Amino acid sequence: MAGRWSAAGGWVIEAIVLGDRPCYRVSRRGYLVGDGYCYRLAELERLLRRHGIALGDLTEEGPPP
């Protein structure tokens, strides 16, 4: 699981493995948003939607550096 996406306003979503669980790390301008980690795509979608962002607004950047 690897990937990195961004959205306008400094949003960055990274697919990572935390412990032994795959998840999405969500940050805006370098700071984690909410608890910072979403373990399901539906969680990620709800978090972004609360901030006016749709999954379709994300731009894929490739794997994390």
Side-chain angles (χ1 to χ4, degrees), residues 41-55:
L41 187 58
E43 269 183 275
L44 175 63
E45 187 174 18
R46 278 193 301 272
L47 175 71
L48 293 175
R49 197 173 336 136
R50 278 185 292 193
H51 295 278
I53 300 169
L55 289 177

Side-chain angles (χ1 to χ4, degrees), residues 2-64:
R4 184 179 169 101
W5 300 267
S6 63
W11 289 87
V12 175
I13 294 87
E14 297 172 288
I16 64 167
V17 176
L18 188 60
D20 63 345
R21 295 180 63 191
C23 68
Y24 300 98
R25 179 172 40 211
V26 183
S27 60
R28 182 173 186 209
R29 297 187 180 134
Y31 295 95
L32 292 178
V33 176
D35 68 4
Y37 302 96
C38 298
Y39 291 94
R40 292 184 171 84
L41 187 58
E43 269 183 275
L44 175 63
E45 187 174 18
R46 278 193 301 272
L47 175 71
L48 293 175
R49 197 173 336 136
R50 278 185 292 193
H51 295 278
I53 300 169
L55 289 177
D57 296 335
L58 301 176
T59 302
E60 187 170 12
E61 295 183 356

